[in-house]
Amino acid sequence: KHSSGRLLIGTGSLDGEAGIYYSDDGGIKWNKSQMENVNWRSIEDIIELENGDLLAGSADGKMWLGTYLKGGRINISKDNGKTWKILAGETSWNSIKSILEINNSVLLSSEGSNLIWSLDNGINWFRFGTNFGFINRIIKSEDKIMMVTSTGISEIPKSKIVINYIDNFLTNNPYTLDCCYL
């Protein structure tokens, strides 16, 4: 549910008609959001950022018969979910099953069995870790980040997550790190 009260849901489809739907009347009537003109396999996760923008992760269509978009994508809506455009992603990406906002500019996301992160509200993404097992959900609590994967549940205290270290480093040294893969 968006802070405006709008309900949003992502769907899956075997005929390329997956998308995002929204309701302004508590779910009585649903409208299909306008999205980039591609065949989506499914929309996996929708989150609202602190600034009110919405992000949605999509499934990778490589392993499916048909003309689905190959590679996972992260989509953005700046109008409470009525319209969406692709923010990031590429053919080599796996499904984006979970997106998490760490703070007002740092994002963490699953990409198949990998973690990817962004320090600039999702414009640029970098690999953070690989081979965790297929990541189904990333959850933030008061003091921990937890990952639910096909191989189990992992957790790390927020104070020890490398994203906090990198974010603090960039705040103090904004021009010293062009890009890094961890």
Side-chain angles (χ1 to χ4, degrees):
K1 183 174 180 179
H2 188 266
S3 58
S4 67
R6 176 172 284 163
L7 299 176
L8 296 133
I9 189 165
T11 64
S13 172
L14 292 177
D15 63 6
E17 294 294 321
I20 298 174
Y21 291 80
Y22 65 91
S23 174
D24 291 322
D25 59 9
I28 296 169
K29 180 182 174 197
W30 291 89
N31 302 295
K32 189 169 185 178
S33 298
Q34 180 184 354
M35 296 186 73
E36 305 255 349
N37 192 22
V38 297
N39 288 335
W40 299 99
R41 171 56 192 97
S42 69
I43 302 300
E44 301 293 326
D45 191 21
I46 301 172
I47 69 159
E48 181 178 2
L49 301 178
E50 289 176 16
N51 67 7
D53 291 349
L54 293 163
L55 296 181
S58 71
D60 173 17
K62 287 191 287 278
M63 302 303 285
W64 293 87
L65 296 176
T67 58
Y68 301 113
L69 181 66
K70 309 300 186 231
R73 299 294 192 277
I74 297 174
N75 302 279
I76 187 167
S77 174
K78 293 185 170 287
D79 60 4
N80 302 338
K82 280 188 171 184
T83 62
W84 295 82
K85 69 177 187 169
I86 295 172
L87 176 65
E90 54 193 57
T91 304
S92 65
W93 281 18
N94 294 304
S95 294
I96 305 297
K97 298 280 278 180
S98 190
I99 306 168
L100 180 68
E101 183 175 32
I102 303 295
N103 65 33
N104 63 0
S105 65
V106 178
L107 302 170
L108 178 65
S109 180
S110 66
E111 184 258 315
S113 63
N114 307 309
L115 287 174
I116 55 176
W117 54 274
S118 171
L119 298 173
D120 56 9
N121 285 316
I123 296 168
N124 296 292
W125 291 84
F126 307 98
R127 289 211 190 275
F128 174 74
T130 59
N131 299 321
F132 290 103
F134 195 80
I135 302 167
N136 292 303
R137 181 71 48 211
I138 305 170
I139 304 164
K140 176 173 73 169
S141 71
E142 192 71 25
D143 58 347
K144 297 181 221 178
I145 304 284
M146 294 175 280
M147 277 189 318
V148 179
T149 73
S150 60
T151 59
I153 298 174
S154 301
E155 66 179 47
I156 185 169
K158 277 191 200 172
S159 62
K160 296 194 184 241
I161 194 163
V162 74
I163 290 175
N164 289 335
Y165 170 79
I166 291 169
D167 188 39
N168 290 333
F169 176 81
L170 288 177
T171 300
N172 296 320
N173 306 286
Y175 302 105
T176 59
L177 185 63
D178 291 329
C179 132
C180 64
Y181 290 84
L182 301 175

